[in-house]
Amino acid sequence: MKVLVCVKQTFDTEAKIELKDGKIADAGINLIINPYDEVAVEGAIQLKEKGVAKEIVVVAAGSDKAMDAIRTALAMGADRGVLVQQDTAADEFARAVALADAIKAENPDIVLAGHVAADDGSSQVPTRVAEILGFPHINVITSIEVAGGKATCSSEADGGTQVTEVSLPAVISSQVSWNEPRYPSMKGIMAAKKKPVATVAAAAADNKVKIVEFSMPPAKAAGIKIEDEPEVCATKLAEWMKNTVKVELK
Amino acid sequence: MAGTWIFVEQRDGNIRKVTYEMLSEAKKFGDEVAAVVFGKGVEALAPEFAKYGADKVYVVEDDVFANYNTGAYVAQMVAMINEFKPNAVLFAHTFNGRDFGSRLAQKLQLGLATDAIAVELSAGKGLFTRAIYAGKALAKVEVAGEPVLGTIRPGVCEVGDVSGAGAVVKPAVAATAADVYQTVKSFVPTVSARPELTEADVVVSGGRGCKGPDGIKLVEQLADLLGAAVGGSRASIDSGWLGHELQVGQTGKVVNPNLYVAAGISGAIQHLAGMSSSKFIAAINTDTEAPIFNVSDFGVVADLFKVIPTLVSELKK
Ligand SMILES: Cc1cc2nc3c(=O)[nH]c(=O)nc-3n(C[C@H](O)[C@H](O)[C@H](O)COP(=O)(O)OP(=O)(O)OC[C@H]3O[C@@H](n4cnc5c(N)ncnc54)[C@H](O)[C@@H]3O)c2cc1C
Ligand SMILES: Cc1cc2nc3c(=O)[nH]c(=O)nc-3n(C[C@H](O)[C@H](O)[C@H](O)COP(=O)(O)OP(=O)(O)OC[C@H]3O[C@@H](n4cnc5c(N)ncnc54)[C@H](O)[C@@H]3O)c2cc1C
């Protein structure tokens, strides 16, 4: 069985965001593999360790910088990579078209992805890819069982846990609590350098949405801070909750 | 314009509050507002939507819609869009809503703005404000299309004092069991007497400063007095004091309550991503330098083990 994992290179979650010429400045920003995608890669490796998956292919769409995300996944244990070269200013539609095109050529049984990218956070790409490929999908998973041409997954849904079954091939997106991604070993990092990575051109697709402007969130007005005996602090906090917030007690 | 449709988020007839928030918000744009509800035995819910601004309520009842499933819901929505040609269709940015919106948008070859924190609608066009980089920046995106598609973050729009005629319309059922490609084997609700994190008016969260289950108990005690949801930082989730579904932050839930209380939470950038847009923020932390104080409206530099018990008794007075 072939498992394909979509990995996106994102800004480090610690990164300080600034605007330059009306755009998000990326100079000097540390890039990481999207934390959700790292979990998806780990999930794929575990499927391989269980004997369910034979080969793990990682696919990233973007500029050459996305190669680092592929190398990280290869160092963790994926077998080979595909870099889909695409203008970074592609929207979710154009991204999904490009990824689906590359995925189709690989003919995988399972497509894993993160359920959301930690930077742009649109939560659209995996579901769009599934629609283009005509595959079923399950999102936000915390576990997976693969047997008899089907995948059964638990998902963190609103207000509870949902167990969903789909026929393969399918697109499945991860929640971070699925697993604890391994750190690449020194050996893994060395091996990754020799693993094959193909570079393909993105299928043409025009953006459907337009970014009108970027801005910084309005700064919050300075609040009140009290340093005093705990009892005094508590009394003042209670007054504020009652008079300013107007909390209602149960 | 040919109407703004709000897709109703409900499970077993329990409507999520975000549905009302979206109905009220849509009313601001002057166009006809319709609630769209799919399910089984859901017609009885129609008057509820009228109370919050729905001029029309599209009700589609069939066994195939008993529980949300992407295939049948998308097939039905596509047929209705073709028939009634709404100007915009909005979904809640929830487990089901973003799934529905994304698959529908791709089927219709349209753009979609997800997790919007503000929206402006006009004929054939939607301007959506999205929080990107975990809220560290904002992007305003324009979605043009027939219809305009978007998903709205729960808790960002106010439920207004509006109402509508709520005239019930019953479109033909356009989906069959053949459209269903996901089998939901089970749904186990999280057993809790407390409100859900993303729906609650008040959230009380505990971090590493709670030091263990005893500290979390204090957080829960305060939460229950306020009828609040309990949340946590990743430190308290990773320590096993709280379930993962209660994590607030960049890789957890984004919450927008009226009041957020952070007890023993330092305010790491990834935590702030999940709560800094709350209306009021209170912080209890022993470290006067803790970054949580930079976003709090009311901060107390003190030991939570001493503050919370007094706070509880003072509130009860
Ligand atoms: C008009 C417009 C212009 C833009 N310009 C820029 C720009 O200049 N620079 C920029 O960085 N972003 C830009 N973006 C953002 C870019 O569109 C998004 O990164 C992209 O649409 C994917 O959305 P997302 O990252 O929110 O993915 P989500 O849907 O949240 O991602 C979920 C999962 O999909 C998979 N995935 C997503 N993207 C990729 C990818 N590229 N490769 C492999 N797997 C992937 C991953 O598994 C990921 O976990 C622009 C967006 C718009 C609308
Ligand atoms: C990719 C990535 C994603 C992440 N996602 C998330 C996320 O979604 N959510 C999240 O929360 N974190 C997330 N984190 C982790 C985040 O960086 C922090 O490590 C975490 O939020 C710290 O939790 P904390 O504030 O409880 O603990 P700490 O930072 O250890 O803070 C504990 C605080 O308690 C105070 N304290 C101690 N004793 C007392 C007392 N008796 N009374 C009052 N105060 C006391 C201390 O002064 C301190 O400020 C993520 C990290 C990464 C790298």
Side-chain angles (χ1 to χ4, degrees):
Chain A
M1 180 168 289
K2 190 197 266 188
V3 177
L4 187 143
V5 192
C6 297
V7 295
K8 185 185 180 191
Q9 183 84 333
T10 63
F11 280 26
D12 191 331
T13 54
E14 298 280 349
K16 187 164 164 36
I17 303 296
E18 281 167 337
L19 296 184
K20 189 165 179 273
D21 305 328
K23 293 218 162 84
I24 306 289
D26 59 0
I29 299 272
N30 186 31
L31 298 172
I32 59 166
I33 178 170
N34 180 30
Y36 295 83
D37 301 355
E38 210 177 2
V39 167
V41 171
E42 176 64 33
I45 296 169
Q46 290 183 9
L47 285 175
K48 194 174 172 187
E49 286 168 348
K50 278 191 200 148
V52 175
K54 247 199 152 115
E55 192 189 21
I56 303 169
V57 182
V58 290
V59 178
S63 68
D64 289 342
K65 282 188 200 160
M67 193 62 101
D68 291 346
I70 294 179
R71 291 285 171 209
T72 306
L74 295 178
M76 287 171 73
D79 297 303
R80 63 190 173 80
V82 178
L83 174 66
V84 183
Q85 278 181 316
Q86 191 178 33
D87 186 346
T88 46
D91 71 359
E92 296 83 359
F93 171 81
R95 266 300 181 245
V97 168
L99 284 169
D101 187 58
I103 293 168
K104 204 184 266 165
E106 288 286 341
N107 200 21
D109 300 280
I110 300 177
V111 178
L112 294 177
H115 96 79
V116 61
D119 50 1
D120 296 295
S122 71
S123 289
Q124 294 187 29
V125 172
T127 310
R128 282 182 177 271
V129 165
E131 172 63 26
I132 298 169
L133 296 171
F135 292 0
H137 68 273
I138 308 177
N139 288 324
V140 206
I141 74 151
T142 56
S143 75
I144 184 169
E145 289 296 332
V146 180
K150 290 186 161 141
T152 308
C153 302
S154 288
S155 294
E156 194 179 296
D158 295 303
T161 304
Q162 180 169 308
V163 177
T164 314
E165 182 187 272
V166 290
S167 294
L168 300 180
V171 176
I172 288 163
S173 76
S174 68
Q175 173 58 305
V176 277
S177 52
W178 177 8
N179 58 46
E180 191 64 48
R182 68 195 63 193
Y183 286 105
S185 65
M186 211 42 186
K187 210 172 125 218
I189 294 168
M190 296 311 288
K193 292 189 176 145
K194 298 202 189 85
K195 290 180 179 173
V197 181
T199 301
V200 300
D206 290 332
N207 281 359
K208 299 287 181 188
V209 308
K210 209 160 68 194
I211 296 185
V212 180
E213 64 172 7
F214 290 109
S215 61
M216 298 308 274
K220 209 174 156 116
I224 301 159
K225 189 159 92 176
I226 295 176
E227 300 189 47
D228 209 321
E229 291 303 315
E231 291 70 26
V232 178
C233 286
T235 308
K236 293 201 166 139
L237 180 53
E239 279 168 11
W240 176 78
M241 282 187 181
K242 281 182 179 166
N243 302 331
T244 306
V245 185
K246 305 200 190 322
V247 291
E248 285 169 26
L249 301 189
K250 278 277 136 101
Chain B
M1 289 189 271
T4 305
W5 286 8
I6 304 301
F7 179 71
V8 172
E9 274 271 326
Q10 58 94 21
R11 186 184 290 280
D12 302 328
N14 296 312
I15 303 157
R16 294 184 81 85
K17 196 170 112 205
V18 57
T19 303
Y20 304 137
E21 294 166 1
M22 292 192 295
L23 285 169
S24 296
E25 189 67 19
K27 207 75 178 169
K28 292 183 184 161
F29 307 106
D31 200 4
E32 178 186 273
V33 175
V36 178
V37 60
F38 301 167
K40 187 79 190 137
V42 287
E43 192 178 344
L45 302 173
E48 281 301 305
F49 310 125
K51 266 194 256 167
Y52 294 93
D55 301 304
K56 268 192 191 144
V57 183
Y58 290 92
V59 180
V60 188
E61 301 225 27
D62 195 80
D63 286 340
V64 77
F65 303 123
N67 292 306
Y68 173 77
N69 74 84
T70 325
Y73 276 52
V74 168
Q76 179 67 33
M77 190 62 96
V78 168
M80 286 170 58
I81 287 170
N82 289 336
E83 184 178 350
F84 300 99
K85 308 207 176 341
N87 182 58
V89 184
L90 302 181
F91 300 86
H93 194 71
T94 55
F95 180 68
N96 291 337
R98 58 186 179 236
D99 179 286
F100 196 166
S102 303
R103 192 109 193 188
L104 177 73
Q106 191 59 42
K107 173 143 267 164
L108 298 172
Q109 305 270 304
L110 289 176
L112 166 73
T114 38
D115 198 17
I117 57 169
V119 52
E120 291 163 57
L121 297 173
S122 53
K125 199 168 104 176
L127 281 173
F128 296 85
T129 305
R130 306 188 57 234
I132 56 171
Y133 297 95
K136 286 184 254 182
L138 302 175
K140 194 179 252 189
V141 300
E142 182 186 312
V143 182
E146 294 173 3
V148 170
L149 298 174
T151 73
I152 311 293
R153 181 181 289 188
V156 296
C157 304
E158 303 251 347
V159 175
D161 192 8
V162 287
S163 64
V168 173
V169 183
K170 290 184 171 176
V173 173
T176 68
D179 293 308
V180 178
Y181 46 71
Q182 301 144 318
T183 312
V184 175
K185 295 266 173 188
S186 64
F187 179 82
V188 181
T190 312
V191 197
S192 173
R194 300 188 183 102
E196 218 183 295
L197 204 46
T198 53
E199 295 250 288
D201 277 334
V202 181
V203 174
V204 184
S205 284
R208 202 194 308 276
C210 290
K211 300 190 168 76
D214 288 348
I216 296 293
K217 274 215 186 76
L218 290 175
V219 164
E220 290 175 336
Q221 203 187 338
L222 176 61
D224 290 341
L225 181 67
L226 297 169
V230 168
S233 68
R234 186 156 110 183
S236 51
I237 273 85
D238 285 352
S239 305
W241 306 335
L242 292 166
H244 182 269
E245 71 285 357
L246 300 182
Q247 181 174 317
V248 173
Q250 188 159 11
T251 48
K253 299 255 160 49
V254 175
V255 299
N256 269 300
N258 186 39
L259 172 65
Y260 187 88
V261 183
I265 292 177
S266 62
I269 191 82
Q270 298 93 347
H271 187 79
L272 301 185
M275 45 64 73
S276 55
S277 58
S278 307
K279 189 154 180 224
F280 291 107
I281 297 171
I284 308 168
N285 196 304
T286 44
D287 176 11
T288 182
E289 302 289 332
I292 191 75
F293 291 125
N294 299 336
V295 300
S296 55
D297 300 284
F298 203 98
V300 298
V301 184
D303 183 347
L304 71 91
F305 287 86
K306 296 195 178 119
V307 171
I308 296 181
T310 315
L311 176 59
V312 165
S313 58
E314 283 295 321
L315 282 171
K316 280 185 184 158
K317 268 186 198 165

